[in-house]
Amino acid sequence: MPLIHELYHSDFHTKLFTAHQLFHDSGVALCAIPHIHQGLITLERQATTLQEQMLSLNVGHLCSSCALKAGGGCCSLYMADENDAVLLLINLLTGHLVSVQKDDDYECYLLGPKGCILRFKPIFCLNYNCQAIKVHTNAAILASYLAASAQLLQQQWLVEQLILTYLMQTQKKLY
């Protein structure tokens, strides 16, 4: 099976296995590439900025309390498949452990006791703002949060493209 399928079109467990395998096989080489290394540093900085925004909005608490209710809020099992193996790999490359937290056929596999364990999340998880967030947030602060989220997502995409370029050059069965 081509690696591109395992990266993007397989089930969550295959994507997670693929991310760990790529980290094991290519993690050091990927981090040694200056553009990727710098991209990961930028991602960490932007994630910290976004985290500060989320704290000021109390988004983490709002999302976690909703996610931990029966039904999981937005953090349903369906959301685990929004992840791709490259995004999971980016989390690993930046030193963030990625492992199944739940396996209850109901909630997202990555939903830990304090909410999502991912430092870098899929686009839906960062772009969706439910009514609870909108109601509890000042419009200017929400706009600032959305701008920080957009910057992080753009950087995630750029780093993902750099990683894919490396994989195309080194993997025989990418496509």
Side-chain angles (χ1 to χ4, degrees):
M1 182 171 308
L3 179 59
I4 198 77
H5 177 79
E6 293 172 11
L7 293 173
Y8 294 103
H9 307 296
S10 58
D11 64 275
F12 174 79
H13 292 287
T14 302
K15 291 174 191 172
L16 182 60
F17 176 81
T18 301
H20 279 278
Q21 190 66 48
L22 287 169
F23 179 71
H24 178 267
D25 294 347
S26 303
V28 172
L30 284 165
C31 289
I33 298 169
H35 285 84
I36 292 176
H37 179 77
Q38 187 57 49
L40 294 171
I41 291 170
T42 301
L43 271 177
E44 279 291 350
R45 187 179 68 247
Q46 290 174 330
T48 298
T49 298
L50 183 62
Q51 187 175 25
E52 290 167 0
Q53 289 282 338
M54 290 175 80
L55 285 172
S56 73
L57 297 173
N58 204 25
V59 170
H61 174 72
L62 290 171
C63 291
S64 294
S65 62
C66 182
L68 296 173
K69 292 178 188 173
C74 299
C75 304
S76 68
L77 184 59
Y78 172 79
M79 292 314 301
D81 282 328
E82 291 296 308
N83 287 281
D84 59 63
V86 181
L87 183 59
L88 297 172
L89 175 61
I90 289 170
N91 278 275
L92 293 169
L93 291 171
T94 55
H96 300 282
L97 179 66
V98 181
S99 63
V100 171
Q101 302 294 301
K102 291 187 179 241
D103 198 357
D104 62 6
D105 294 328
Y106 199 60
E107 296 171 315
C108 180
Y109 295 120
L110 302 168
L111 185 59
K114 295 181 180 178
C116 181
I117 64 162
L118 293 180
R119 175 78 162 167
F120 306 104
K121 298 167 178 47
I123 190 169
F124 177 85
C125 299
L126 290 179
N127 273 347
Y128 179 74
N129 293 293
C130 70
Q131 193 60 29
I133 292 172
K134 293 175 185 174
V135 167
H136 291 94
T137 306
N138 161 313
I141 295 171
L142 183 60
S144 177
Y145 164 72
L146 294 174
S149 177
Q151 288 178 336
L152 178 64
L153 288 168
Q154 181 179 21
Q155 184 66 24
Q156 282 179 195
W157 182 84
L158 290 170
V159 171
E160 188 159 327
Q161 296 310 302
L162 293 169
I163 291 170
L164 287 173
T165 299
Y166 172 85
L167 293 175
M168 285 190 299
Q169 294 169 353
T170 62
Q171 303 290 320
K172 295 177 183 154
K173 289 179 62 180
L174 185 62
Y175 291 99

